[in-house]
Amino acid sequence: MLFAYIFSAAIAVGTVFYIVHLFLRDQMIDTHGREIRALVEDVRRVAEYDGSSITIEYRLS
């Protein structure tokens, strides 16, 4: 029974640390990242679905 408590605590702590890691990584990308500019050369409609969502294909330069 003690093993189950330790195992579930390890999973909970690991999950929290992973979420914190994701937030820190996002903040690091925001502070040290680069701005990328691209020109959209071509946009085409590939498919349209019943829920009024559209799939497009685009080409950047």
Side-chain angles (χ1 to χ4, degrees), residues 13-45:
V13 169
T15 302
V16 170
F17 278 134
Y18 183 68
I19 291 171
V20 168
H21 165 73
L22 291 177
F23 277 107
L24 291 175
R25 187 179 69 175
D26 187 49
Q27 182 181 7
M28 188 177 67
I29 289 172
D30 284 344
T31 57
H32 299 293
R34 295 186 181 149
E35 185 175 325
I36 298 174
R37 293 184 180 204
L39 175 66
V40 179
E41 291 183 350
D42 183 29
V43 177
R44 286 186 284 165
R45 183 182 297 197

